[in-house]
Each structure stands twice: as C-alpha cells, then as structure tokens.
Amino acid sequence: MTQIRKPITSDKQQILDFCTDTFSWGDYIHEVYDSWTKEGELVILEEDNVPIAMCHGVTYTDESMLWLEGIRVRHDYRRKGFAQLLVSHLERSAHDLGIIHANMLIESENVPSLNLAEKIGYQQKSQWNYFAVESKKTSFSSLFDSVDYDELEHSKLRFVESWRWIPLTKSNFEKLNASEQILCIKDNKTIQSLGIITDSRSFDNTMILTILFGKSYGIQKFIQHVQRLALEKNYSKIRILTQQDEIPIVSIQKKFPFYLVEKKL
C-alpha cells in the first residue's frame, strides 16, 4: 500500500540511507532533515510501511509561492512516478491555500530532474551561477548607499534565503533593509550594483550573498564586505548566487549553474 504522510522519528535513518550519493559530490539532506521536519512541511511517501521517497515544500503566502526542494526517491523505486506523486500532493495543498505558482531549483547537469520538471509542467525561468569564497579579514569600509523599494524594477527580482529563491516583495524588502542586509552602490543617484545578504536557516555556518546585478567594482565591494562579516560571525561558508556568468575576484571557485523553474498552479 502506498501513502503520503508526515515524517515520524523512525523515518530519518531510512531516508538518509538513500540520500548519500544523489550527486557527484554526495548530498545535503543530512544537514537539513531536522530543520525541515521542524518546519512541518516535509512529506514522506511510504510503500508497505517503508519510507521510500520524500519532498519538502514551503509555502510563502505573501509571495503566493510554493517552494519545492529535496525530492528524493530510493534507488530501487525510481521511474515509478513516486516523485510526481509527492510534487502533485504538495501542489494541491498549496493551491488550496491560494498559492498561484510553484518553483524549484535544479542543477544544470541533473538531467532526470530537468526532464521530470518539464514533464509535469515546469518551465525554465532563469539560470543562476553558484560561487564559493572564504571568510577573511578585509580592509573594506562597509559604507553603502541607501535604497528605496520604489527605485527598483522589482517585478523579476529574487533573493536567496536558505537556498530558496524568493520574490523580492515590498514587505520582505523592508525587513531586509531594516536589518542592513541590502547592499547598494549608486552613481549619480542611479543604482549600479545591488546585493542581498542572508544567513542560511537550514545550513549551519553559512552566509549567502545574492548579487541581483552589478558592475565589477560594486561586486568586489560586496564580496569583501561579506567576507569580513562572515569572519566576524565565525561563519565557515560563503555562498554567492547570481545570474551573472563571471565574478571579479581571484581564487574563486565556480560551481555548476542551476535553473530556476516555475509552474502556475
């Protein structure tokens, strides 16, 4: 018998056992499983009382968005439609709450997931590149220009929080701005570079810099600021996400690009 349910304590190790070599570098589910369970939106698919698949869905009411992540199916149960069952379940629940679109992020080389997304109605919206840098002491003075929401062409802007690409609405812009998480550089009162800093709630010791757009000089200032800030907070990891192809800094490590995909519910 197949059913979709909330996780129970005994699921964890059985789930982690088949979430070890999902990608060439391994997997991250062991880092986020506990926090996803606490958030209350993790669902498990079981077959004959054995958990064989999982998916996490987070609803953002103000943004009218369902964010899907962590779709995993045990190797010997793949290609049987279980991933699609989980996604459809979460889509229906979100639609009942008035959510109008769903998003997920897929690594460019993850062809099976890209094919699945296309099969169930998701379309590629944008490509994002991932870079990693180390925290370190810098001499940069963290002085940035003030910015107002009305100055932005905000309809397509997104920022990354805990590896979720969230639309930049006025309400979350104001929260970020009040916490000095928005980095802005202007030239003659015109925005030239814009970035947003967030602390990852799901991944420990991780600071995320979303570069929404920018010129070389501005991006360098953003990165130097984040490197110093991460060192002050004793964070070991800095992740940079941007739609730009190149980042102007020496010794940066470029990772695979990702596709942001979307479906109207």
Side-chain angles (χ1 to χ4, degrees):
M1 178 180 177
T2 301
Q3 69 167 333
I4 296 174
R5 58 167 173 78
K6 295 293 186 180
I8 57 177
T9 303
S10 60
D11 291 333
K12 181 177 179 179
Q13 191 55 54
Q14 296 181 78
I15 293 291
L16 295 185
D17 285 344
F18 64 81
C19 295
T20 56
D21 57 355
T22 307
F23 308 103
S24 60
W25 45 266
D27 207 332
Y28 62 85
I29 298 300
H30 64 285
E31 296 183 55
V32 300
Y33 187 88
D34 290 340
S35 65
W36 285 3
T37 302
K38 291 176 183 177
E39 284 182 320
E41 297 182 86
L42 181 68
V43 290
I44 304 295
L45 188 147
E46 69 171 30
E47 179 84 352
D48 297 329
N49 299 317
V50 177
I52 53 95
M54 62 162 278
C55 184
H56 190 229
V58 185
T59 53
Y60 289 85
T61 305
D62 291 344
E63 294 81 5
S64 296
M65 180 186 75
L66 167 67
W67 183 263
L68 296 166
E69 59 192 356
I71 303 171
R72 301 288 187 274
V73 180
R74 209 173 84 179
H75 188 271
D76 50 334
Y77 284 90
R78 293 174 186 172
R79 300 181 183 277
K80 296 183 179 182
F82 291 132
Q84 186 172 345
L85 280 177
L86 285 169
V87 171
S88 296
H89 171 82
L90 290 167
E91 288 175 346
R92 286 193 300 271
S93 298
H95 184 265
D96 291 343
L97 295 174
I99 302 301
I100 62 173
H101 64 272
N103 288 101
M104 60 177 117
L105 191 75
I106 303 175
E107 187 177 317
S108 62
E109 294 193 352
N110 190 347
V111 177
S113 292
L114 288 171
N115 289 339
L116 172 64
E118 183 179 5
K119 177 182 176 182
I120 59 179
Y122 284 79
Q123 297 181 338
Q124 293 181 16
K125 300 297 290 184
S126 55
Q127 177 179 314
W128 290 73
N129 294 305
Y130 157 54
F131 303 86
V133 296
E134 297 180 349
S135 59
K136 69 176 185 179
K137 186 177 181 179
T138 66
S139 59
F140 170 68
S141 176
S142 55
L143 294 176
F144 295 102
D145 296 307
S146 61
V147 59
D148 187 80
Y149 187 69
D150 294 332
E151 296 179 76
L152 305 176
E153 295 181 3
H154 44 73
S155 59
K156 296 182 179 180
L157 294 180
R158 292 177 183 253
F159 70 101
V160 182
E161 184 177 66
S162 297
W163 281 89
R164 297 164 193 163
W165 270 242
I166 303 172
L168 188 60
T169 63
K170 186 172 184 178
S171 60
N172 55 42
F173 173 88
E174 291 176 346
K175 291 176 183 177
L176 292 164
N177 210 18
S179 301
E180 298 182 343
Q181 293 172 256
I182 296 181
L183 311 180
C184 178
I185 295 176
K186 294 180 178 179
D187 184 14
N188 292 326
K189 299 183 179 181
T190 300
I191 301 173
Q192 298 294 321
S193 301
L194 189 69
I196 295 178
I197 303 172
T198 57
D199 294 336
S200 178
R201 294 196 301 266
S202 300
F203 297 89
D204 292 336
N205 301 316
T206 302
M207 183 171 289
I208 297 174
L209 169 63
T210 310
I211 300 174
L212 289 88
F213 56 86
K215 298 184 180 297
S216 178
Y217 171 70
I219 292 173
Q220 286 182 322
K221 291 181 69 175
F222 291 168
I223 294 173
Q224 290 171 359
H225 172 69
V226 171
Q227 287 179 308
R228 181 177 60 79
L229 188 61
L231 184 65
E232 291 175 357
K233 291 190 173 187
N234 199 30
Y235 282 8
S236 59
K237 303 173 185 176
I238 300 172
R239 304 296 182 246
I240 301 173
L241 287 307
T242 179
Q243 292 187 66
Q244 300 192 189
D245 290 329
E246 301 295 336
I247 295 294
I249 189 170
V250 179
S251 72
I252 197 166
Q253 184 180 7
K254 184 172 181 179
K255 299 295 184 181
F256 294 118
F258 293 84
Y259 292 114
L260 178 68
V261 299
E262 182 172 280
K263 176 182 179 180
K264 292 184 178 180
L265 301 180

